[in-house]
Amino acid sequence: MTAASGSPDSEAQISVHWREEDYYQPPARFIAQANAADPDIFRRFDEAHFPDCFKEYAELLSWDTYWHTTLDTGNAPFWKWFVGGRLNACYNCVDRHLAADRNKAALIWVPEPEAEDTRTITYQELYRQVNEFAAVLRDFCGLRTGDRVTFHLPMVPELPVAMLACARLGVIHSEVFGGFSGVACGERIADSGSRVLVTMDGYYRNGRLVDHKAKADEAVRAANELGQQVDRVLVWRRHPGRYTSQTAMVGDRDCFVDEVLAEHRGAVVEPVSMPSEAPLFLMYTSGTTARPKGCQHSTGGYLAYVAGTSKYYQDIHPEDTYWCCADIGWITGHSYIVYGPLALGTTSVIYEGAPTYPDTGRVWRIAERLGVGIFHTAPTTIRMLRKLGPDEPGKYDYHFRHMTTVGEPIEPEVWRWYHDVAGKGEAVVVDTWWQTENGGFLGSTLPALQPMKPGSCGPGVLGVFPVIYDEDGNAVEAGSGKAGNICIRNPWPGIFQTIWGQPERFLQIYYQKYCRDPASTDWRDWPYFAGDGAVQAADGYFRILGRVDDVINVAGHRLGTKELESAALTVEEVAEAAAVPVVDELRGRAVEMYVALKPGRDAGEEIEDSVARAIEREIGKIARPKNVWIVGDMPKTRSGKIMRRVIAGISNFADVGDVSTLANPEVVEEIRHRIQREKLAHGDVPRQLTREEADEIRAFGRNE
């Protein structure tokens, strides 16, 4: 940006002051066993070999009919992959492993109460359960190929069983994150046109048995108000034979799955051979405004992509015990708990509850007991574990060879703890960038062949060609120090097909901005707009700066929240940080920082000053926060993400919106009362926000 004028070159420009980090090399013993250890793989997947390079991923699967066209661009940008091919996703994840590995564990489920037994489900047992539930869906519920069914299930093995049963029938499944409200579930039921809801009476979270069935009645009501009738509610029981919900079952609508299953014991349902481009599932993004976006993912392209990235980037081998400590209610869980690992025939761990229950050693105890070799989780969880139990990993005898971080950018200080402490310096770390819409990884280092760099996801993954554009569509040069909008120049098999029922919105959000010719069928004319800001170093590695909507414009300098938060985390006492905008008469917007401290650290002005100085040192005087607030805890979603829109509302004396679905809604009033009282005491009396300002504050962080 032009510092002298204080105004950005374009709206895409985000001020960048990152310090380049040192490389970390992969251990020799990892390279020796890696699935991708031959540098020739980069040639095989270069642009000259696109799109046929992705045959290498597709050939990891079993096809009923081979495809005749690898990529059909005839109706750009509604791409079709492996056209003419037919396969079944369930067959690829279950049936084909039976001949050699029927007695191998497919899933290991760890309940939250430690006194409960861990459940191991072999591939043979998974085959039986999937077939029986598929029979229930087909024969009891009357579902047929192309129908939709909604799940509102927690982290229990019944969820992957239900997903695979749908895939077996060619029924499109839509899982709604268990922490979402019944109303949110009902909106998604209505949007997808589901007439069957699969739920559970209860589940454990932080030591409490949550009454989940109550949300089903809310969901059915909400869907009905939107014109969609739900005919069946199938209820799994968390404790077999014992109903734990306080909500009554409803007449002929509700039924217990175990009772219906009794009539379908031993059923075998032949997998339906599906066209490659047939929809496999819908995954709704979790935005807080407008109609939900149902990302429609294909069968062949999606499954090939998650199998290929699981093999090469997760380095999953069939003999591994692999744990993605995420929720299947998000795309990470679909791709890298269920479909990717099971397509490769490995053992995938599922954990029911909170990673810090009953204490911060729980994750490491599970890893030690199960012999986990690959660990995969989000920066949110890593920050939580670092904050609450920074020394816990050293107490347990586990050894990871590979660790993944996914879901949002990870700060260099947090990355180093993950590598040095959680990984004991023994594991490679794969820092991945991608989105719900993308199906699988877009940016990452290939673990045996490219060094790691804290805070950078790395280059584009195999066969994916990212670019940074400014607002006018000009490419921003690598190493220029300038940021812009990261886009993908080409299609890839995991890309979603459309927004369910909203093709115009699909075009408008993801392709209209940089489309060179709306009539073109050449993929080069249709760059995918990801909506994230990024900067590319001279070495080709990308650093993701967060959503382009979540920048704070201070006197014309567009500051990325992730850079501000990373600077705050360089202060040794700080465990978590969140940057929000506050309306400022002089500068338009100013930065306010909220920080939470590590255990045993006392709040005080010294730490507040240290945070402000760190931001000034790392970024510049323009970024110095107006206030630094030390809080006991941040308002967070059930998945642990800090809700910046809530604290932005508090800082601006504005509406904080709905907080009922937060994991800790009680902290909102505590923070609001204290912060606003102190502001008023200092004479920081807010003026009435304009409608535009109120909308901006309300929308801040909406992509969380």
Side-chain angles (χ1 to χ4, degrees):
M1 60 176 295
T2 52
S5 67
S7 62
D9 293 331
S10 82
E11 279 302 302
Q13 185 71 41
I14 302 173
S15 300
V16 178
H17 311 4
W18 291 105
R19 188 176 61 235
E20 283 299 303
E21 301 285 341
D22 294 332
Y23 293 116
Y24 286 63
Q25 299 297 331
R29 64 181 175 276
F30 179 87
I31 298 171
Q33 60 79 61
N35 284 324
D38 181 357
D40 184 62
I41 198 169
F42 296 120
R43 179 195 62 79
R44 301 199 307 269
F45 279 86
D46 66 18
E47 194 166 340
H49 294 92
F50 178 86
D52 287 338
C53 56
F54 283 114
K55 289 181 179 179
E56 191 164 329
Y57 283 5
E59 286 168 356
L60 295 172
L61 306 178
S62 298
W63 293 79
D64 303 324
T65 304
Y66 203 72
W67 60 91
H68 56 68
T69 303
T70 301
L71 171 62
D72 180 350
T73 66
N75 186 24
F78 299 90
W79 318 114
K80 295 180 180 179
W81 283 89
F82 311 121
V83 180
R86 300 184 74 94
L87 75 168
N88 184 274
C90 178
Y91 178 88
N92 273 276
C93 292
V94 184
D95 303 46
R96 68 179 181 146
H97 304 310
L98 298 181
D101 290 314
R102 68 177 58 243
N103 294 318
K104 183 168 76 174
L107 303 171
I108 300 176
W109 180 64
V110 182
E112 188 185 76
E114 285 193 274
E116 275 194 45
D117 292 336
T118 293
R119 280 172 57 190
T120 299
I121 301 173
T122 65
Y123 275 96
Q124 179 65 48
E125 177 63 14
L126 183 60
Y127 173 81
R128 182 188 66 79
Q129 291 187 26
V130 166
N131 272 275
E132 291 176 353
F133 193 64
V136 169
L137 295 176
R138 183 189 64 186
D139 301 338
F140 180 72
C141 298
L143 293 173
R144 298 291 181 264
T145 299
D147 287 343
R148 280 80 61 204
V149 58
T150 297
F151 308 144
H152 197 198
L153 287 165
M155 284 292 286
V156 290
E158 289 79 4
L159 176 50
V161 165
M163 292 167 62
L164 293 163
C166 284
R168 196 169 193 83
L169 296 168
V171 169
I172 302 166
H173 62 75
S174 169
E175 156 68 359
V176 178
F177 171 57
F180 278 178
S181 68
V183 171
C185 180
E187 290 171 349
R188 288 152 176 78
I189 290 171
D191 190 78
S192 65
S194 299
R195 54 189 178 85
V196 174
L197 171 63
V198 183
T199 189
M200 183 165 253
D201 60 346
Y203 63 94
Y204 286 94
R205 188 78 185 180
N206 285 312
R208 186 171 68 90
L209 183 58
V210 178
D211 186 344
H212 191 60
K213 168 60 168 63
K215 294 182 181 180
D217 294 343
E218 296 174 6
V220 171
R221 277 196 301 272
N224 191 57
E225 289 171 4
L226 293 169
Q228 179 61 36
Q229 180 177 322
V230 175
D231 299 327
R232 290 283 185 195
V233 177
L234 303 183
V235 182
W236 293 92
R237 287 190 265 206
R238 172 61 177 77
H239 296 283
R242 178 161 65 91
Y243 185 53
T244 60
S245 174
Q246 299 302 307
T247 304
M249 299 286 281
V250 177
D252 295 333
R253 187 196 73 185
D254 299 354
C255 56
F256 293 121
V257 176
D258 54 335
E259 292 179 356
V260 182
L261 275 173
E263 301 169 16
H264 297 85
R265 294 292 179 212
V268 174
V269 175
E270 287 301 311
V272 177
S273 187
M274 299 296 294
S276 176
E277 63 270 26
L280 177 63
F281 66 87
L282 305 179
M283 171 60 66
Y284 282 88
T285 57
S286 56
T288 58
T289 60
R291 179 179 169 187
K293 298 199 300 285
C295 297
Q296 175 183 312
H297 283 282
S298 70
T299 301
Y302 169 81
L303 192 62
Y305 197 70
V306 296
T309 49
S310 291
K311 179 174 181 177
Y312 291 143
Y313 284 91
Q314 300 283 74
D315 197 55
I316 291 176
H317 298 67
E319 63 272 17
D320 280 322
T321 299
Y322 159 86
W323 183 15
C324 176
C325 185
D327 197 293
I328 301 173
W330 307 117
I331 190 67
T332 296
H334 275 50
S335 298
Y336 298 116
I337 296 178
V338 182
Y339 285 114
L342 295 183
L344 297 179
T346 195
T347 299
S348 187
V349 175
I350 300 173
Y351 173 53
E352 177 183 31
T356 53
Y357 183 84
D359 56 64
T360 52
R362 184 64 187 280
V363 165
W364 319 121
R365 282 199 298 281
I366 293 170
E368 178 185 66
R369 180 164 59 86
L370 299 183
V372 172
I374 305 175
F375 183 70
H376 181 167
T377 197
T380 295
T381 302
I382 299 166
R383 286 192 292 267
M384 185 190 312
L385 294 168
R386 173 178 174 263
K387 171 188 175 183
L388 300 176
D391 303 320
E392 286 295 311
K395 300 175 183 177
Y396 299 94
D397 185 24
Y398 66 86
H399 298 277
F400 299 147
R401 76 167 193 276
H402 183 295
M403 303 194 307
T404 305
T405 170
V406 64
E408 59 183 307
I410 185 169
E411 303 85 355
E413 289 300 317
V414 179
W415 189 100
R416 279 186 276 272
W417 180 87
Y418 193 44
H419 177 273
D420 298 345
V421 180
K424 303 179 180 180
E426 301 172 343
V428 294
V429 175
V430 171
D431 177 1
T432 63
W433 168 71
W434 59 300
Q435 303 162 324
T436 299
E437 297 89 338
N438 308 149
F441 305 145
L442 293 183
S444 174
T445 51
L446 196 57
L449 296 173
Q450 294 168 318
M452 304 163 269
K453 190 163 71 168
S456 294
C457 71
V461 299
L462 296 169
V464 169
F465 314 121
V467 62
I468 296 176
Y469 288 130
D470 66 17
E471 207 66 19
D472 298 319
N474 303 305
V476 177
E477 185 180 350
S480 66
K482 293 183 177 180
N485 298 321
I486 188 167
C487 299
I488 308 298
R489 294 192 294 108
N490 65 301
W492 62 97
I495 180 68
F496 73 138
Q497 298 173 295
T498 186
I499 298 174
W500 178 264
Q502 303 178 72
E504 300 84 3
R505 193 177 180 198
F506 171 79
L507 282 167
Q508 185 267 321
I509 293 175
Y510 301 100
Y511 288 100
Q512 190 177 84
K513 188 175 183 71
Y514 291 115
C515 177
R516 298 183 180 92
D517 178 5
S520 175
T521 59
D522 186 335
W523 59 262
R524 296 167 187 83
D525 290 327
W526 292 92
Y528 169 84
F529 173 59
D532 278 339
V535 61
Q536 188 179 22
D539 59 11
Y541 282 32
F542 292 92
R543 191 188 289 264
I544 307 300
L545 304 176
R547 303 298 294 174
V548 292
D549 295 331
D550 291 352
V551 296
I552 303 174
N553 194 329
V554 180
H557 297 255
R558 301 181 76 239
L559 304 172
T561 55
K562 187 51 59 180
E563 188 171 18
L564 291 159
E565 290 159 9
S566 291
L569 284 167
T570 64
V571 176
E572 200 273 331
E573 294 89 348
V574 174
E576 295 174 319
V580 298
V582 61
V583 174
D584 183 83
E585 294 290 352
L586 183 62
R587 294 176 288 176
R589 302 291 178 272
V591 174
E592 289 201 340
M593 295 298 304
Y594 286 72
V595 298
L597 306 182
K598 295 174 184 174
R601 308 304 173 99
D602 295 326
E605 288 186 12
E606 186 177 336
I607 294 177
E608 294 171 6
D609 291 342
S610 294
V611 170
R613 287 196 305 271
I615 291 171
E616 189 172 315
R617 180 182 68 248
E618 298 286 326
I619 300 176
K621 290 184 183 297
I622 189 67
R624 186 178 178 89
K626 184 174 184 178
N627 290 297
V628 176
W629 305 110
I630 299 174
V631 295
D633 196 10
M634 306 275 195
K636 293 173 184 167
T637 65
R638 266 277 313 279
S639 59
K641 287 193 175 183
I642 297 168
M643 290 296 283
R644 291 171 181 82
R645 69 164 175 82
V646 172
I647 49 181
I650 290 171
S651 277
N652 288 277
F653 292 81
D655 179 23
V656 299
D658 179 24
V659 299
S660 62
T661 60
L662 295 185
N664 54 351
E666 69 283 350
V667 307
V668 175
E669 276 308 308
E670 294 173 16
I671 295 172
R672 190 213 308 261
H673 181 71
R674 187 194 129 215
I675 301 306
Q676 294 184 352
R677 185 187 68 226
E678 290 191 27
K679 282 192 165 203
L680 291 170
H682 293 137
D684 190 359
V685 180
R687 63 166 170 76
Q688 183 71 34
L689 299 182
T690 67
R691 176 181 295 180
E692 291 76 14
E693 289 168 343
D695 287 346
E696 175 195 328
I697 298 303
R698 192 179 303 112
F700 190 76
R702 65 179 176 269
N703 293 289
E704 296 158 344

